[in-house]
């Protein structure tokens, strides 16, 4: 089985080096290249076609939001954002630009690798530590009603277990974390998440999290 290629984008060489060491330690992932700014990231993503671009947000020349928007628009790769606790405004912009999710720079290596694998599969990646704040900001930037709101009757179609799953999504829990909390298998969690998203007529975990944040508090 071929390894999923990763493009690392950060303006600090020491950060790139640390991330390279983490990714190179995984048999199913490989580092295709490194970029120091958003403009380089766009060009290298087009040339290398990585499975995932691991994208910093605050960079010279062109920031991570603009780079993410261009890469997603060109469909050259999926983008996983590197963030810190004070990056909420940038982070929300990156998610609006089409990023598949975000992972904290301070996360343990195994969490970063798990996030890369999930992003490579096209899954949304939300770090629980900052999800609530990002969802709150997202709701502040959305109209009172719209594509990300869920009619009351939609919520009423959810079973008790599905409501528990939705609450977990609102907290940014991953499938393994949901499985541990609910005492069920990960495959069962995946089934519940799919059913919840279908019943709420949303196509991402972030959209489901927004609904949980506003209507299940």
């Amino acid at each position: 089985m071929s390894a999923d290629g990763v493009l690392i984008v950060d303006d600090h060489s020491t950060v790139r080096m640390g991330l390279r060491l983490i990714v190179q330690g995984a048999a199913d992932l490989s580092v295709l290249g490194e970029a120091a700014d958003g403009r380089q990231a766009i060009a290298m993503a087009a040339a290398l076609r990585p499975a995932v671009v691991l994208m910093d947000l605050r960079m010279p020349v062109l920031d991570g939001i603009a780079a993410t928007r261009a890469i997603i628009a060109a469909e050259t790769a999926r983008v996983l954002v590197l963030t810190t606790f004070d990056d909420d405004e940038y982070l929300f912009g990156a998610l609006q630009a089409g990023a598949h999710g975000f992972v904290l720079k301070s996360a343990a290596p195994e969490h970063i690798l798990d996030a890369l694998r999930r992003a490579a599969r096209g899954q949304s990646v939300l770090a629980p530590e900052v999800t609530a704040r990002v969802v709150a900001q997202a709701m502040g930037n959305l109209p009172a009603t719209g594509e990300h709101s869920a009619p009351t009757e939609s919520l009423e179609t959810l079973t008790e277990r599905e409501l528990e799953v939705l609450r977990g999504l609102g907290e940014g829990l991953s499938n393994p974390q949901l499985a541990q909390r609910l005492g069920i298998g990960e495959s069962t969690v995946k089934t519940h998440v799919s059913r919840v998203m279908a019943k709420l007529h949303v196509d991402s975990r972030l959209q489901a999290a927004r609904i949980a944040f506003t209507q299940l508090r």
Side-chain angles (χ1 to χ4, degrees), residues 50-75:
V52 183
V53 176
L54 190 55
M55 179 78 73
D56 188 25
L57 292 177
R58 304 188 188 196
M59 295 182 294
V61 184
L62 191 69
D63 67 27
I65 296 175
T68 295
R69 185 177 297 110
I71 290 170
I72 295 300
E75 299 183 348

Side-chain angles (χ1 to χ4, degrees), residues 23-40:
V23 176
Q24 286 179 331
D28 58 337
L29 297 169
S30 65
V31 178
L32 297 184
E34 299 178 15
D37 61 61
R39 188 170 297 168
Q40 287 182 355

